[in-house]
């Protein structure tokens, strides 16, 4: 099967064209002279991006943090791939699948700025991260460091490692509004002892959208002989960075979040030379101990996803990573800057642009997050998710590229009215 390109498909299907624009390619050409930071507030451009999505009219979707459902173009491509793989059947699985998967992996590696030998496609961040957490060659009494604001599934996997291998977990708590990078680095450094083997850190904390100074944390941990696993479920293809620049040992992400692939796609990065330190989850035949594919035996899987990842990469490149980052940050600051100083409103996301991007979290004094989320949905028709734990009490707000300022105005109105009530 030959991979069709995003723009070619758009022209063929006319899928995302909106009134006055014949193709997505023309749209991008029309706006290409505008720098990303300026384009972030160009509602004409983003309205045309919005037209490429099929949106449910029932509510304003500010809960993309779970799954950034795909634009129509990627969806149509996926359906085409399902048809083609089904048509070719075992022939595809025996003769085409491996090459296509390798090609997609190489494109993912390019997006992450690393070597294809350091990346494998997984089914989600949970698979990527839990594989490392369980796979480290633990000895009883070894210690691991993590934060209570990390994702529950990974914290549970560390608890399992404690039961299974006698790992001792040291859990820190990251402040919602830190004053400096050093404050955070120190927090993690203080939890490290001579027995620490692994430190896990979220690149972006999922419940608040706070970006952590991962490079500094990795440098500090390495200076103490500790390896670092980064949970990048919300960072990859959300804001721009190169994986090697983080200086981490392992990195896991879900691609169905900010890369907007169909459900069931993830990435695992293992820095060269580290694969031999990890047991696979499912056994692979004999390979070089440092071959990352030793960690990636998953049996038969929905192979058309590999092809749809490539379509999502096309979409990502067509829009442009920097444009996407700037727009997502613009949307978040658009609403948080209007409510941050209102008495009774608590914004749990830092104001410093280096510490945030598209995700924000807001609470209302005296209102339980679950009740806040219910009122947002029932009275204002806004879909968010309530967070009530780990020192975070509020609703997580995660817009996407199709979100309009008018939709965020409804959120601002809701926060303003509820803070006064
Ligand atoms: C920070 C973080 N890590 C890991 C995950 C797990 O992702 P998945 O369910 O796609 O495996 C999530 C999911 O929301 C997350 O927010």
């Amino acid at each position: 099967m030959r991979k069709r390109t995003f723009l070619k498909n758009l022209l063929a299907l006319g899928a995302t064209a909106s009134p006055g624009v014949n193709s997505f390619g023309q749209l991008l050409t029309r706006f290409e002279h505008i720098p990303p930071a300026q384009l972030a507030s160009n509602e004409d451009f983003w309205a045309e991006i919005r037209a490429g999505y099929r949106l449910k009219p029932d509510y304003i979707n500010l809960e993309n943090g779970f799954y950034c459902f795909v634009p129509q173009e990627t969806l149509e491509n996926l359906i085409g791939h399902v048809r083609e793989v089904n048509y070719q059947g075992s022939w595809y699985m025996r003769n085409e699948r491996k090459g296509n998967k390798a090609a997609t992996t190489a494109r993912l590696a390019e997006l992450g700025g690393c070597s294809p030998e350091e990346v494998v496609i997984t089914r989600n961040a949970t698979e990527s991260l839990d594989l490392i957490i369980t796979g480290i060659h633990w000895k009883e009494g070894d210690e691991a460091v993590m934060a209570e604001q990390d994702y529950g599934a990974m914290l549970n996997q560390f608890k399992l490692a404690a039961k299974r291998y006698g790992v001792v977990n040291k859990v820190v708590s990251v402040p919602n509004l830190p004053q400096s990078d050093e404050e955070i680095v120190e927090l993690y450094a203080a939890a490290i002892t001579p027995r620490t083997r692994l430190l896990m850190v979220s690149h972006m904390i999922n419940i608040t959208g706070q970006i952590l100074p991962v490079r500094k944390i990795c440098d500090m941990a390495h200076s103490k002989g500790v390896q670092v696993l980064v949970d990048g479920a919300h960072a990859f293809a959300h804001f721009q960075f190169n994986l090697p620049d983080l200086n981490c040992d392992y990195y896991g992400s879900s691609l169905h979040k900010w890369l907007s692939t169909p459900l069931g796609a993830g990435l695992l990065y293992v820095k060269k030379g580290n694969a031999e330190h990890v047991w696979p989850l499912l056994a692979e035949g004999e390979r070089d101990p440092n071959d990352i594919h030793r960690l990636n035996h998953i049996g038969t899987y929905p192979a058309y996803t590999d092809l749809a990842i490539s379509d999502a990469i096309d979409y990502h490149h067509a829009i442009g990573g920097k444009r996407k980052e700037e727009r997502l940050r613009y949307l978040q600051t658009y609403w948080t800057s209007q409510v941050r100083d209102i008495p009774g409103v608590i914004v749990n996301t830092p104001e410093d642009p280096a510490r945030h991007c598209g995700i924000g979290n807001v609470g209302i004094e005296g209102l339980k997050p679950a009740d806040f989320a219910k009122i947002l949905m029932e009275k204002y028709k806004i879909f968010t998710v309530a967070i009530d734990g780990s020192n975070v009490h509020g609703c997580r707000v995660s817009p996407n590229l199709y979100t309009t300022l008018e939709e965020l105005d409804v959120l601002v109105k809701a926060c303003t009215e509820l803070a006064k009530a």
Side-chain angles (χ1 to χ4, degrees), residues 65 124-127 129 151 154 202 204 206 231 233-234 254 256-257 396:
N124 47 53
T126 304
E127 179 179 326
L129 298 162
Y151 192 67
M154 281 79 247
S202 293
M204 175 183 260
N206 87 91
D231 178 345
H234 282 283
S254 289
H256 47 240
K257 292 193 188 287
R396 180 180 70 180

Side-chain angles (χ1 to χ4, degrees), residues 57-107:
D58 313 53
Y59 49 76
I60 297 167
N61 186 351
L62 296 180
E63 181 23 2
N64 292 277
F66 193 141
Y67 166 42
C68 292
F69 68 92
V70 304
Q72 286 300 99
E73 178 53 28
T74 310
L75 179 64
E76 293 304 330
N77 284 335
L78 170 71
I79 293 166
H81 299 319
V82 173
R83 286 211 172 91
E84 189 66 22
V85 170
N86 190 61
Y87 171 64
Q88 297 202 31
S90 303
W91 175 267
Y92 180 83
M93 299 304 276
R94 289 206 184 278
N95 299 301
E96 308 281 345
R97 180 192 60 84
K98 220 170 151 188
N100 284 340
K101 188 173 191 180
T104 299
T105 304
R107 298 195 72 204

Side-chain angles (χ1 to χ4, degrees), residues 34-169:
I34 305 179
Q38 222 175 304
L39 193 69
S41 58
N42 187 315
E43 297 313 310
D44 292 343
F45 176 79
W46 296 105
E48 300 200 32
I49 297 299
R50 179 181 170 93
Y53 282 85
R54 181 165 173 241
L55 300 168
K56 259 181 104 176
D58 313 53
Y59 49 76
I60 297 167
N61 186 351
L62 296 180
E63 181 23 2
N64 292 277
F66 193 141
Y67 166 42
C68 292
F69 68 92
V70 304
Q72 286 300 99
E73 178 53 28
T74 310
L75 179 64
E76 293 304 330
N77 284 335
L78 170 71
I79 293 166
H81 299 319
V82 173
R83 286 211 172 91
E84 189 66 22
V85 170
N86 190 61
Y87 171 64
Q88 297 202 31
S90 303
W91 175 267
Y92 180 83
M93 299 304 276
R94 289 206 184 278
N95 299 301
E96 308 281 345
R97 180 192 60 84
K98 220 170 151 188
N100 284 340
K101 188 173 191 180
T104 299
T105 304
R107 298 195 72 204
L108 267 180
E110 192 184 24
L111 191 58
C114 62
S115 153
E117 276 123 55
E118 295 176 307
V119 170
V120 283
I121 296 171
T122 61
R123 286 159 294 190
N124 47 53
T126 304
E127 179 179 326
S128 305
L129 298 162
D130 286 2
L131 188 157
I132 302 298
I133 296 168
T134 304
I136 294 286
H137 300 177
W138 297 108
K139 289 200 268 340
E140 192 166 352
D142 282 346
E143 294 178 5
V145 175
M146 65 222 67
E148 63 167 326
Q149 289 78 15
D150 290 328
Y151 192 67
M154 281 79 247
L155 295 177
N156 286 339
Q157 193 75 359
F158 274 112
K159 285 181 192 153
L160 184 66
K163 282 192 197 147
R164 207 163 158 187
Y165 309 117
V167 175
V168 178
N169 295 323

Side-chain angles (χ1 to χ4, degrees), residues 371-382 410 413-414 417-418 421:
D371 295 337
F372 183 22
K374 197 161 182 278
I375 296 171
L376 283 178
M377 189 59 171
E378 287 176 359
K379 184 166 175 201
Y380 298 94
K381 300 281 174 245
I382 297 176
V410 181
K413 180 172 184 281
E417 290 178 355
L418 292 169

Side-chain angles (χ1 to χ4, degrees), residues 9 79 197 264 305 354 387:
N9 268 343
I79 293 166
R197 289 282 300 279
T305 308
I387 309 289

